[in-house]
Amino acid sequence: MTAAKSSGKTGVLFVCLGNICRSPMAEAVFQHIVETNGISDQFVIDSAGTSRFHLGDKPDSRSAQTCRDRGVRVNHRARQTQPEDFDNFDFILCMDESNLDDLRMLKPKGSRAHVALFGSYSANAGDAVIRDPYYGGNKGFITNFEQVTRCSLGLLEELGFDNVTADFS
């Protein structure tokens, strides 16, 4: 039995390729939002990558700085998605179609996890794919931050938390 299952909490795993840019940012922003809204006790939150490229690494400095500049703490070491994640988490939310394809291939038969694009939870159609900012400048990380904020609020609304706000003061 998993932490989410045994505790009655909702498990959310954010996934990108290397687990150093987008998914740790999504994890940190989602964690910040649920904490500032007093509902963090209802969630188990983590992030992972589909590749082994950056195992054990801290998040990309630009991703972490974008979060810190907005009052969001980032505390994560990169890890790779594991088969047990599909039973440990209710939602496995990825950033792009390549991640989605990889996760669908990894997902064990009978798994309970809902695997989807994180961007599908935003009302903004431009958020469907959260593009990898790794090879670009800081603007990409700022765009990602805005996207994962909208997606976090959308997911929480979908889960029945209608009055949740994003406060980055």
Side-chain angles (χ1 to χ4, degrees):
M1 187 157 282
T2 67
K5 283 183 187 176
S6 65
S7 66
K9 296 180 180 188
T10 300
V12 183
L13 180 69
F14 298 101
V15 178
C16 67
L17 179 64
N19 193 215
I20 60 166
C21 293
R22 298 169 289 171
S23 59
M25 178 184 282
E27 174 191 358
V29 168
F30 191 79
Q31 184 68 48
H32 178 87
I33 291 172
V34 299
E35 284 176 2
T36 58
N37 283 275
I39 56 174
S40 61
D41 61 334
Q42 298 184 45
F43 294 92
V44 174
I45 305 162
D46 197 2
S47 65
T50 57
S51 77
R52 301 176 47 85
F53 297 149
H54 300 284
L55 290 181
D57 290 353
K58 291 182 179 181
D60 182 285
S61 61
R62 298 165 294 174
S63 182
Q65 189 62 51
T66 300
C67 289
R68 281 194 302 272
D69 287 349
R70 290 152 183 80
V72 175
R73 288 177 289 127
V74 179
N75 183 19
H76 185 78
R77 292 287 184 161
R79 72 175 189 87
Q80 188 175 21
T81 308
Q82 300 297 314
E84 58 269 19
D85 289 331
F86 293 90
D87 288 321
N88 291 348
F89 292 93
D90 302 290
F91 295 88
I92 299 181
L93 303 175
C94 59
M95 305 300 143
D96 62 39
E97 290 95 348
S98 178
N99 305 147
L100 186 59
D101 291 343
D102 290 343
L103 290 170
R104 286 179 173 157
M105 288 190 323
L106 292 169
K107 184 178 180 181
K109 288 186 185 204
S111 163
R112 68 186 205 94
H114 173 70
V115 177
L117 289 171
F118 187 34
S120 67
Y121 290 95
S122 175
N124 183 337
D127 290 340
V129 171
I130 300 171
R131 302 211 182 284
D132 193 344
Y134 186 77
Y135 294 105
N138 290 335
K139 186 175 186 285
F141 290 91
I142 294 167
T143 298
N144 284 172
F145 188 92
E146 294 166 352
Q147 289 177 299
V148 301
T149 298
R150 289 189 293 269
C151 296
S152 293
L153 293 171
L155 173 60
L156 288 165
E157 184 177 332
E158 179 81 17
L159 293 173
F161 298 95
D162 297 327
N163 298 317
V164 172
T165 60
D167 180 10
F168 300 113
S169 55

